[in-house]
Amino acid sequence: MSSNVELENLNIRFGDFHAVKNINLNIRDGEFFSFLGPSGCGKTTILRAVSGFNDPSDGQIRIGGEDMLGYGPNERPTALVFQNLALFPLMSVAENISFSLKVRGVSKAQRRKKADELLDMIALSGQGDKLPSELSGGQRQRVAIARALAVEPKVLLLDEPLSALDLKLREHMRVELRRIQQKVGITFIYITHDQGEALTMSDRIAVMSHGVMQQVGTAQEVYDNPATPFVASFVGENNSIYGTVTRLENGYAQIKTCFGELTGRNEQNLAVGDFATLFIRPQNLSLMADEPFENIIETRVNDQVFEGEFEHLHLVGDRRNLVVSLVNDGNIPAFEKGALISVGFKSECAVVLPAGDMAYE
Amino acid sequence: MNNYLLPLASLIGAALVIVLLVVYQRSSLATSTGFGRFLRRNGIVVSCYLILSLIGWLFFMIILPQLYMVDFSFSQNLPPSKIGGPEDVYTTQNYEYLLFGPQGGEESFNWLHLKIFLRTIIAAVVVTIIDLAICYPVAYYMAQVASSGRLRLLALCLLLPFWVNEILRAFAFRILFGSGGVMNSVLMWLGLTDQPVDFIRADVALYSGLSYAYLLLMIFPLYNAIESLDHNQIEAAKDLGCSWWRVHFEVVMPFAKPGIASGSTMVFMLSCGALAAPQILGGPSSLWFTQIIYQWFNTGGNWPQGAAYAFVLLLVCIIFVMAVMKLFKVSFGEIVK
Ligand SMILES: Nc1ncnc2c1ncn2[C@@H]1O[C@H](COP(=O)(O)OP(=O)(O)O)[C@@H](O)[C@H]1O
Ligand SMILES: [Mg+2]
């Protein structure tokens, strides 16, 4: 039986507050699907609705084609990994993992067997008799995942499971999670505010802002072809330059900005006269050397920041600084603050989107 | 005979002061730890005051009176003129009396008092269970479900009735459960019975009164324990397949065990030692053990006998509580947490 998750016209309100607005989505069977968005955008609310802790105010949630309304969390084919893990502190690691089996009346020996299997999978063999408090953060994390997997759910829901870990461990756990997902082959719905996590792990990503789903697509689609200014500014670093569309030409739009006329891809069918924002990524801006660029920005240096592999050059932009990311090949010139320089970019690297809300960190 | 207690107390006090002075002399602020540091930081006068007042409180309010009672319980009931005389020697006869009755009595055991004793313990257990059954849902609701406004209102509703004093409350219950009381009127109006039920004789009034009296002592430890349970754990249990009652048995109750233990201990101990409620609400045939103790002290005029009875009650209660705690694997440290 398929276990795709369909959200149809999903709306969730808390009193007057509209937390989730009209989401339509089909999460495929066996997919690693992420909801990405800043905190407070309604990600947890969606996840809780899927797992059965709150009901949709409007619309439907279907798993494997079946409407889930009226099924409690204990009756759905889902398992939730909580943001704070919520391991049972008085139970051993093995008891935690096999808790769902105990509830289902599975015999003690079989429970132990299943727990050992799962402990193997999360590389914690032989640690079943410890208490959760005796494990490290990363180990506890894996126990929480194993506990949820013990139910053999069709859909595993993960609510920012890595947010409590430090950077190195987080990066390691990304790989680990992906490995586990491929091994068990079930649908994972993953929530995060960390675009790095979403981009590296997911088959597809839904970018959310204020309860609205901004875009759904693969990591490449979302990164390379952002559909809205919010996505363009939230996923990865981006420079934004405001203007009005002046000319359209086979898929490209030219806009008039304070730096003169600039051109980028017109994916959203803008018309002449529309207010627009041009987005160009820091690594796609280059210092003027000998290459002739279609687009040239002449402005002053604000700051030069050394980052190791990269050096970031902050330039005076139209509202915020423009950032140029230079690969540190050992001969980046030093710029004086206030010096006038020119940077250029290719039109195919830039995207022009209708003016709208942006994500500001 | 017990005149040695006061000199002993002053001797201990003096010894303490000397110890403090010595420690103070030998300690310096930089090198010393713990106790010496405490002395240096507060100065010798303040330190002595703090320590002596603490020990004084422990000694004079708690230990000394109980020591007198222990002393009493092993003494003979003599008229004042004979106290200190040749007949004033220690004896275990007061304890023996509870077990075997008067010397040369007809029965080999003092069944009358032993039965009352046992019934008191059992009744206190029943009261404790009733309170637990009533308070657990309320405490759970307050700790995990209610909004903060609702919580305040509920806490107020629970607290306010306890401003009414014990005697008034007991007599009010008597009226409530009396043959012409509200309970009977309602039952008869509903047609459930055509004769008034004697709630007093059936001890319904007594159990209700006692349960009600110690409600708060059960609710607050339970509330405290359940309140510190992360709500996500409840949801996790549900998500992993628990029905609602399973959530309680598998997750909430084990977590709240220290609170349950501490509430139950208090309710049990106080129920065993209750006097007013059994006096006022108890049926004519049901004596509470405390009533017998009271009779010994009061109308019986036999303080040693009363003291012995009271001590047996105290000891058995403590042993019983310890045994139950052992059974449920609760440590003493958890209770007072
Ligand atoms: N039970 C609730 N009652 C009222 N408002 C809520 C409730 N749960 C969440 N919200 C609100 O809904 C919004 C989205 O919350 P949430 O889904 O937790 O965001 P996040 O994307 O950070 O997980 C927040 O503004 C939050 O305050
Ligand atoms: Mg959240």
Side-chain angles (χ1 to χ4, degrees):
Chain A
M1 191 185 116
S2 151
S3 58
N4 63 325
V5 180
E6 292 164 276
L7 311 181
E8 189 180 299
N9 293 325
L10 181 66
N11 281 280
I12 299 167
R13 295 183 194 85
F14 297 112
D16 287 341
F17 181 70
H18 201 164
V20 172
K21 295 172 189 158
N22 216 40
I23 304 242
N24 283 286
L25 194 62
N26 181 6
I27 300 170
R28 297 174 201 130
D29 197 4
E31 191 171 25
F32 197 123
F33 191 94
S34 295
F35 283 97
L36 170 66
S39 117
C41 71
K43 306 181 297 288
T44 300
T45 308
I46 294 179
L47 211 64
R48 289 173 59 82
V50 174
S51 55
F53 287 110
N54 49 26
D55 286 327
S57 314
D58 265 320
Q60 249 188 15
I61 296 169
R62 289 189 296 270
I63 300 179
E66 193 179 354
D67 186 2
M68 284 291 124
L69 193 67
Y71 289 98
N74 52 345
E75 299 160 326
R76 297 193 182 195
T78 60
L80 180 57
V81 177
F82 287 79
Q83 194 158 3
N84 69 351
L85 307 186
L87 293 176
F88 305 121
L90 304 175
M91 297 181 203
S92 74
V93 167
E95 283 170 337
N96 261 285
I97 292 178
S98 57
F99 182 77
S100 57
L101 304 176
K102 182 180 176 194
V103 173
R104 284 166 178 74
V106 175
S107 77
K108 200 163 185 175
Q110 269 180 300
R111 268 168 16 216
R112 188 72 215 199
K113 191 161 154 275
K114 180 81 184 176
D116 285 340
E117 262 171 50
L118 283 162
L119 281 167
D120 279 346
M121 190 187 73
I122 58 170
L124 280 177
S125 318
Q127 314 229 35
D129 292 325
K130 289 188 176 171
L131 285 177
S133 55
E134 294 167 326
L135 298 183
S136 73
Q139 292 173 329
R140 273 206 291 275
Q141 183 62 64
R142 302 206 293 266
V143 172
I145 292 166
R147 182 179 72 174
L149 287 175
V151 200
E152 300 190 350
K154 294 191 173 128
V155 183
L156 188 71
L157 308 163
L158 302 107
D159 190 351
E160 311 216 14
L162 306 185
S163 55
L165 307 180
D166 59 52
L167 185 66
K168 268 271 174 314
L169 202 54
R170 219 153 58 212
E171 282 172 358
H172 170 74
M173 282 300 295
R174 287 180 192 173
V175 182
E176 191 79 345
L177 266 178
R178 186 69 195 173
R179 181 183 69 80
I180 292 172
Q181 193 257 343
Q182 273 158 1
K183 185 152 185 197
V184 295
I186 59 170
T187 311
F188 272 39
I189 302 183
Y190 188 91
I191 277 190
T192 181
H193 65 264
D194 180 333
Q195 36 126 349
E197 278 174 20
L199 292 176
T200 49
M201 292 192 286
S202 323
D203 294 318
R204 283 194 304 156
I205 301 170
V207 184
M208 303 267 310
S209 159
H210 295 296
V212 177
M213 197 170 67
Q214 300 272 332
Q215 186 176 3
V216 190
T218 63
Q220 283 87 349
E221 281 164 4
V222 169
Y223 189 84
D224 293 336
N225 279 321
T228 65
F230 178 85
V231 178
S233 52
F234 189 74
V235 181
E237 285 289 306
N238 233 332
N239 293 301
S240 55
I241 301 165
Y242 296 83
T244 338
V245 178
T246 53
R247 211 158 65 86
L248 299 172
E249 198 182 350
N250 44 19
Y252 285 85
Q254 194 175 55
I255 66 170
K256 188 172 181 305
T257 73
C258 63
F259 298 114
E261 302 279 341
L262 299 173
T263 307
R265 286 175 288 126
N266 180 16
E267 306 276 355
Q268 301 293 322
N269 296 320
L270 289 166
V272 172
D274 286 349
F275 289 113
T277 313
L278 178 139
F279 289 93
I280 178 75
R281 301 222 176 252
Q283 68 272 27
N284 293 333
L285 280 172
S286 312
L287 293 179
M288 291 301 285
D290 25 46
E291 270 187 83
F293 283 105
E294 295 118 358
N295 302 283
I296 294 161
I297 295 170
E298 212 168 278
T299 184
R300 290 180 188 283
V301 176
N302 216 350
D303 202 2
Q304 190 170 9
V305 181
F306 181 71
E307 306 258 347
E309 298 117 272
F310 295 97
E311 200 154 308
H312 284 170
L313 204 56
H314 294 259
L315 310 177
V316 178
D318 64 349
R319 292 186 200 174
R320 309 168 73 209
N321 275 347
L322 294 178
V323 180
V324 184
S325 174
L326 303 169
V327 177
N328 184 6
D329 54 3
N331 41 29
I332 299 175
F335 296 96
E336 270 178 43
K337 190 174 157 74
L340 200 62
I341 67 163
S342 294
V343 291
F345 62 92
K346 294 183 188 147
S347 298
E348 71 235 41
C349 294
V351 58
V352 180
L353 296 173
D357 284 341
M358 310 248 273
Y360 288 119
E361 54 274 6
Chain B
M1 53 161 212
N2 42 37
N3 311 338
Y4 57 85
L5 280 170
L6 264 180
L8 190 71
S10 26
L11 211 68
I12 293 173
L16 256 165
V17 173
I18 291 168
V19 168
L20 284 183
L21 279 169
V22 171
V23 174
Y24 184 76
Q25 286 294 313
R26 300 183 59 172
S27 68
S28 71
L29 194 55
T31 57
S32 59
T33 51
F35 193 56
R37 203 182 182 86
F38 170 80
L39 283 183
R40 283 282 165 184
R41 172 135 22 91
N42 295 306
I44 189 76
V45 178
V46 176
S47 297
C48 278
Y49 173 74
L50 285 177
I51 290 168
L52 285 180
S53 57
L54 178 71
I55 288 172
W57 184 69
L58 275 176
F59 190 77
F60 284 103
M61 296 300 193
I62 299 174
I63 298 172
L64 194 62
Q66 298 305 327
L67 279 180
Y68 267 109
M69 278 298 156
V70 175
D71 191 285
F72 257 126
S73 74
F74 286 104
S75 308
Q76 320 216 17
N77 192 29
L78 297 170
S81 60
K82 292 197 180 162
I83 287 179
E87 286 170 58
D88 192 359
V89 288
Y90 283 122
T91 167
T92 55
Q93 71 179 41
N94 298 317
Y95 290 92
E96 282 163 25
Y97 188 93
L98 173 57
L99 274 180
F100 306 115
Q103 264 162 1
E106 296 146 34
E107 301 211 46
S108 46
F109 286 100
N110 188 357
W111 287 121
L112 181 66
H113 286 179
L114 287 175
K115 268 185 192 156
I116 291 175
F117 183 76
L118 200 66
R119 211 174 46 219
T120 303
I121 301 274
I122 292 171
V125 170
V126 172
V127 169
T128 308
I129 292 170
I130 293 175
D131 266 355
L132 193 57
I134 296 174
C135 295
Y136 178 82
V138 177
Y140 179 80
Y141 178 82
M142 285 167 70
Q144 292 286 343
V145 184
S147 63
S148 65
R150 193 72 64 76
L151 175 61
R152 268 198 296 274
L153 189 71
L154 206 59
L156 203 67
C157 291
L158 283 171
L159 276 171
L160 277 185
F162 285 86
W163 290 5
V164 176
N165 66 56
E166 198 185 357
I167 301 278
L168 200 57
R169 215 168 335 120
F171 277 109
F173 264 72
R174 213 188 152 90
I175 295 169
L176 185 71
F177 286 105
S179 57
V182 182
M183 279 298 170
N184 272 312
S185 311
V186 169
L187 284 182
M188 282 159 76
W189 181 73
L190 286 173
L192 291 175
T193 168
D194 37 329
Q195 294 219 351
V197 180
D198 195 345
F199 287 119
I200 307 278
R201 185 176 290 277
D203 278 338
V204 174
L206 176 60
Y207 283 112
S208 310
L210 280 174
S211 305
Y212 182 67
Y214 303 124
L215 217 53
L216 288 187
L217 291 171
M218 186 63 99
I219 282 195
F220 285 109
L222 277 182
Y223 170 81
N224 263 337
I226 300 176
E227 207 258 344
S228 61
L229 174 65
D230 174 13
H231 193 72
N232 282 337
Q233 283 186 21
I234 296 169
E235 296 200 326
K238 275 188 200 155
D239 192 55
L240 292 168
C242 287
S243 50
W244 69 266
W245 62 270
R246 203 84 201 242
V247 172
H248 286 280
F249 280 102
E250 300 282 351
V251 175
V252 186
M253 282 184 190
F255 186 86
K257 211 159 66 175
I260 295 175
S262 111
S264 302
T265 307
M266 278 200 275
V267 171
F268 173 75
M269 289 287 197
L270 288 174
S271 298
C272 279
L275 183 61
Q279 199 101 292
I280 298 164
L281 292 170
S285 60
S286 80
L287 264 183
W288 211 250
F289 195 68
T290 45
Q291 287 172 283
I292 299 181
I293 298 174
Y294 185 70
Q295 281 170 8
W296 281 127
F297 276 110
N298 197 30
T299 40
N302 191 342
W303 279 47
Q305 190 67 68
Y309 270 45
F311 261 104
V312 171
L313 180 64
L314 177 67
L315 273 178
V316 170
C317 282
I318 290 174
I319 292 167
F320 181 78
V321 165
M322 295 289 198
V324 173
M325 272 165 52
K326 188 106 187 165
L327 190 67
F328 286 98
K329 300 197 178 74
V330 193
S331 76
F332 200 71
E334 282 177 287
I335 286 198
V336 289
K337 206 161 48 180

